[in-house]
């Protein structure tokens, strides 16, 4: 198996803000009923946190779980743990309506730093990125 690469291969650009591609990450889309106890248990077992509230993201160190839609979560973890985690999800939710898919290669992650991050985001998304609307723990798709 080849080593994973990202679209920009870790590129960094320093300008109005500094944008850095953060490298390969593991990402699993988990679809199902977020109110289902079995789904909540598997999310807790994998991430160490509960199913996030609407529009939020949980952070338990290296693993995160983001609310993507009413029936979709995004689990973020180390890339090397994806296959084993998918197997754990499948075993834990056997017989429960769900879908778990490795989407690690479908997305890229970037870190924006600098004093003008909110202004840059405001130019790129229709979402409200004010401090009140985009506080720590809030997730926005755009």
């Amino acid at each position: 198996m080849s080593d994973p690469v990202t679209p920009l291969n870790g590129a960094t650009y320093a300008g109005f803000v500094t944008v850095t591609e953060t490298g390969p990450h593991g990402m699993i889309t988990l679809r199902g009923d977020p109110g289902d106890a079995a789904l909540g248990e598997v999310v807790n077992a994998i991430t160490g946190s509960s199913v996030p509230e609407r529009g939020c993201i949980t952070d338990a160190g290296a693993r995160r779980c983001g609310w993507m839609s009413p029936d979709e979560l995004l689990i973020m973890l180390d890339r090397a743990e994806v296959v084993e985690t998918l197997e754990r999800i499948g075993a834990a939710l056997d017989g429960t309506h769900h879908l778990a898919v490795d989407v690690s290669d479908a997305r890229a992650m970037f870190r924006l730093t600098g004093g003008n991050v909110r202004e840059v985001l405001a130019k790129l998304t229709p979402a409200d990125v004010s401090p009140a609307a985009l506080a720590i723990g809030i997730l926005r798709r755009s």
Side-chain angles (χ1 to χ4, degrees), residues 2-81:
S2 62
D3 292 331
V5 294
T6 57
L8 299 177
N9 202 24
T12 296
Y13 174 78
F16 197 61
V17 297
T18 299
V19 180
T20 305
E21 186 186 39
T22 61
H25 294 277
M27 296 182 212
I28 296 172
T29 289
L30 178 57
R31 297 194 81 134
D33 178 359
D36 184 282
L39 190 131
E41 289 172 14
V42 77
V43 167
N44 182 266
I46 291 166
T47 67
S49 59
S50 60
V51 171
E53 297 291 323
R54 181 176 191 234
C56 294
I57 186 167
T58 60
D59 185 350
R63 296 178 175 190
R64 295 173 177 82
C65 185
W67 184 95
M68 301 297 276
S69 73
D71 71 341
E72 180 183 1
L73 303 172
L74 180 66
I75 296 173
M76 293 165 267
L77 65 166
D78 186 89
R79 178 92 179 213
E81 299 174 328

Side-chain angles (χ1 to χ4, degrees), residues 41-133:
E41 289 172 14
V42 77
V43 167
N44 182 266
I46 291 166
T47 67
S49 59
S50 60
V51 171
E53 297 291 323
R54 181 176 191 234
C56 294
I57 186 167
T58 60
D59 185 350
R63 296 178 175 190
R64 295 173 177 82
C65 185
W67 184 95
M68 301 297 276
S69 73
D71 71 341
E72 180 183 1
L73 303 172
L74 180 66
I75 296 173
M76 293 165 267
L77 65 166
D78 186 89
R79 178 92 179 213
E81 299 174 328
V82 170
V83 172
E84 183 257 334
T85 301
L86 284 168
E87 291 170 358
R88 285 177 60 194
I89 292 169
L93 297 179
D94 187 36
T96 302
H97 178 73
H98 77 284
L99 172 71
V101 179
D102 178 2
V103 294
S104 304
D105 292 332
R107 296 192 166 106
M109 290 177 65
F110 299 90
R111 176 172 288 115
L112 281 69
T113 56
N116 299 307
V117 169
R118 287 191 191 275
E119 289 79 5
V120 168
L121 289 175
K123 290 282 189 182
L124 300 173
T125 178
D128 182 356
V129 296
S130 67

